[in-house]
Every structure is written in C-alpha cells, then in structure tokens.
C-alpha cells in the first residue's frame, strides 16, 4: 500500500487518516497537525523521510502564483528542506489544474450559471486558477487578499489588479512568518467575522477554508461554498450558519475532504516522477485517469 502523509501547521484537532483507491493503487492517507509548531513539523518530516511515498505540506504554501510568476515562501522552504528522500508538495500544482476543472464541472454537469453571479474569493493569489476560471465563466468576482490576508479595507475586482498586487506584495509577504497572514494552530478553529459585507454580497464564497471559517459572519443563509479541507464538524458549522451547498474540490475520504497538498501527493506517487517534472498536461491526464469529480453536498 502506498502512503501519503500531510504534515500541517494547522490544528491537531483536524487530524485524520483514511484509505482509498486511486488509479488501481491502494493508498493510506494521513493528515497530522503540529498546532503551528514549525520545528515539530520539521522533526516529523525528518523522522518519516524515506519511509513514505509522498509528503503533503499543509497549513501553508510553498508557492503562490499570479499570472506566469511564482513566488516562494521562505518559511515553507525551511520546512520542506527536511525531506531529503521523499517528494514533498504543497498542492499549488494541483490547484492550478483541479480547481479550474471544478468551475467547468459545475457549469457543464451541475447546470450552474456563473454569469453575473457575485462571488467572493477570500484569497486569490493562493488559488489563481480558480479565480481565473470564475472570471472566465462570467462571475462578478471580488478577491479578498488584502481584506483577509492583511486586514486592509481594499477589495480587488480584477485579475489584472490581483496580478499587480501580487507583484508588489508577494516578494515581501513570502519572507514573513506564515502566522502573520494565515490562520495556523488554534486560529483555525476560531471565528472572528471581518468585512462581513463582502460575504453578504456574495452568492458564492470560494477559496481557502480556514480564511472562510475564521472570517465568515453569523448569517450565511443560502450561500454556496467552494473549498476543501472540510471535516464533518466543519460541515455542521456551515449548516448552522445557513450555508445551502458545499462543493469540495477534493473527494470525501472517510468523512472529510483533505487539502490539495494530500491529493497532489497521491498524483505525484501515481506519476512516478519528481514533482518539479510534472506538467499541467501530466496532472490533467492523471485526473482524467482516476475520474476525480467535485463533491456537491446540500447542507440546508
């Protein structure tokens, strides 16, 4: 059996283990949170290095993309460097393929019309492929990178504006400690509503679940959420806020959807190639081969 382990800076309350078949191979998939402890994450990766088939890096990213530019997080590189033998991925390669396909799937298979639909993407530099797909589908998108990443009351309303922002702030933000702009550890289970009007105006809220969960208002009646990394407890939380429909870009495995870093670990294992040699076409082919589709769940 293949084994993929996601080491996350997130809360250990969200730990989970499951087995599943992908591409004719059985996989043991495990997510282990370190409650924001970077050194603990490094030690764990060193201990498991060479004994598992792939690592996922959760609770942070190695890279963010804006247009054709890629920016690297210094703190994440320190963690990933602990893996000397086993490939380690953060899900960014898969986000650029899988999450584009989700919008196409919702249009073509679920009959969802995005034209002129108000959408809030809580952090788009982390999910540029999803942001581009939503704009291409005709939605009226607001990107909340400055709102929720830096706490500034400045919505971004175009991909060009997002790319310009990324070129300015990414070289700086990627040098800072991750905890300064992203919920890690216990913060992942706290809810502190922020800039609620942008949630109220949107019919669909998309992007990183920890941003959504932390900053969403009490009333989310009738809204759709497009995200992943959602546990059964999270689903109850969303239903209690009135969310009507949950779409996860990764499948339900043993009662929760894992992050894209986990699924990218599976794809890298199936491909048998180093992650840096995998192309968009490689990802597309494997996704077609394993027949992965989004999960759509009615909550209310």
């Amino acid at each position: 059996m293949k084994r993929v382990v996601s080491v996350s800076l997130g809360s250990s309350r969200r730990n989970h283990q499951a087995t599943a078949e992908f591409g004719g191979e059985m996989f043991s998939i495990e997510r282990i949170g370190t409650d924001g402890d970077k050194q603990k994450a490094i030690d764990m990766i060193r201990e498991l290095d060479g004994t598992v088939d792939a690592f996922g890096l959760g609770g942070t990213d190695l890279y963010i993309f804006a247009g054709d530019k890629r920016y690297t997080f210094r703190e994440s590189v320190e963690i990933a460097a602990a893996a000397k033998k086993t490939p380690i991925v953060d899900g960014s390669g898969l986000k650029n393929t899988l999450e584009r396909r989700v919008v196409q799937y919702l249009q073509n298979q679920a009959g969802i019309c995005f034209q002129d639909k108000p959408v809030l993407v809580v952090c788009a530099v982390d999910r540029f492929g999803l942001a581009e797909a939503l704009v291409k589908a005709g939605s009226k998108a607001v990107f909340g990178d400055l709102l929720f990443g830096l706490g500034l009351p400045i919505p971004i309303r175009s991909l060009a504006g997002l790319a310009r922002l990324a070129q300015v702030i990414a070289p700086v933000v990627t040098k800072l400690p991750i905890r300064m702009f992203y919920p890690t550890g216990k913060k992942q289970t706290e809810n502190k509503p922020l800039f609620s009007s942008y949630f109220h105006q949107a019919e669909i809220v998309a992007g990183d679940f920890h941003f959504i969960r932390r900053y969403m208002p009490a009333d989310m009646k009738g809204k759709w959420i497009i995200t992943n990394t959602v546990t059964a407890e999270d689903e109850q939380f969303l239903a209690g806020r009135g969310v009507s429909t949950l779409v996860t870009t990764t499948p339900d495995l043993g009662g929760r959807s894992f992050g894209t870093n986990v699924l990218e670990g599976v794809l890298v294992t199936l491909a048998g190639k180093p992650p840096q040699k995998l192309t968009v076409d490689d990802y597309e082919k494997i996704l077609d081969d394993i027949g992965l589709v989004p999960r759509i769940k009615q909550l209310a």
Side-chain angles (χ1 to χ4, degrees):
M1 181 181 293
K2 304 294 185 183
R3 186 183 180 195
V4 174
V5 175
S6 172
V7 178
S8 172
L9 292 178
S11 170
S12 57
R13 278 183 57 187
R14 304 174 65 81
N15 287 355
H16 192 64
Q17 194 275 333
T19 57
E21 180 181 337
F22 293 100
E25 291 272 7
M26 288 302 297
F27 279 82
S28 168
I29 298 170
E30 187 173 5
R31 184 268 189 197
I32 306 173
T34 64
D35 298 311
D37 189 331
K38 186 178 75 174
Q39 188 56 51
K40 187 175 180 180
I42 291 171
D43 293 343
M44 190 175 299
I45 290 170
R46 282 178 178 155
E47 180 182 340
L48 294 173
D49 190 28
T51 69
V52 301
D53 293 281
F55 285 116
L57 180 59
T60 182
D61 289 313
L62 265 171
Y63 313 107
I64 53 174
F65 293 85
D68 59 355
K69 292 185 178 296
R70 186 179 78 170
Y71 303 91
T72 305
F73 285 95
R74 182 167 62 187
E75 199 168 45
S76 299
V77 169
E78 293 176 29
I79 300 172
K84 305 296 184 186
K85 301 174 183 174
T86 299
I88 185 165
V89 292
D90 69 339
S92 57
L94 191 55
K95 286 175 187 173
N96 202 32
T97 50
L98 175 69
E99 296 188 343
R100 292 178 189 272
R101 296 161 63 109
V102 167
V103 175
Q104 296 168 4
Y105 180 88
L106 292 175
Q107 286 181 298
N108 300 333
Q109 304 299 323
I112 306 302
C113 178
F114 288 93
Q115 187 66 43
D116 295 326
K117 197 175 287 293
V119 175
L120 171 64
V121 182
V122 287
C123 182
V125 293
D126 178 47
R127 283 177 153 81
F128 202 78
L130 177 62
E132 278 194 321
L134 287 166
V135 170
K136 184 178 179 181
S139 69
K140 293 181 177 178
V142 172
F143 307 125
D145 299 64
L146 291 175
L147 299 170
F148 307 110
L150 298 179
L152 300 175
I154 305 173
I156 303 166
R157 300 184 185 277
S158 72
L159 291 172
L162 182 67
R164 285 195 297 272
L165 167 76
Q167 289 170 8
V168 172
I169 69 165
V172 177
V173 169
T174 50
K175 303 296 188 295
L176 300 175
I178 296 156
R179 66 178 184 281
M180 293 182 65
F181 53 88
Y182 184 74
T184 60
K186 292 181 179 178
K187 288 184 179 179
Q188 292 187 348
T189 57
E190 298 172 346
N191 175 236
K192 294 187 175 182
L194 183 67
F195 298 118
S196 296
S197 63
Y198 295 101
F199 283 94
H200 291 315
Q201 292 164 12
E203 292 184 29
I204 298 173
V205 178
D208 184 275
F209 182 71
H210 297 303
F211 272 127
I212 295 172
R213 191 190 193 289
R214 182 166 177 79
Y215 298 122
M216 68 194 296
D219 183 7
M220 292 283 285
K221 187 176 180 181
K223 299 191 185 302
W224 283 52
I225 302 281
I226 302 175
T227 188
N228 59 27
T229 326
V230 179
T231 67
E233 181 180 338
D234 295 329
E235 289 185 12
Q236 293 177 359
F237 175 82
L238 294 174
R241 295 293 173 100
V243 170
S244 69
T245 307
L246 172 66
V247 179
T248 60
T249 59
T250 52
D252 183 298
L253 297 174
R256 65 161 290 172
S257 74
F258 286 91
T260 49
N261 70 87
V262 178
L263 199 55
E264 189 169 331
V266 170
L267 266 61
V268 166
T269 302
L270 288 173
K273 289 183 181 180
Q276 59 271 26
K277 291 189 176 181
L278 280 174
T279 66
V280 170
D281 288 343
D282 290 328
Y283 282 115
E284 296 280 7
K285 182 178 185 308
I286 301 171
L287 288 170
D288 286 339
D289 289 346
I290 64 178
L292 200 69
V293 297
R295 179 179 61 131
I296 303 173
K297 185 170 184 177
Q298 300 300 319
L299 299 181

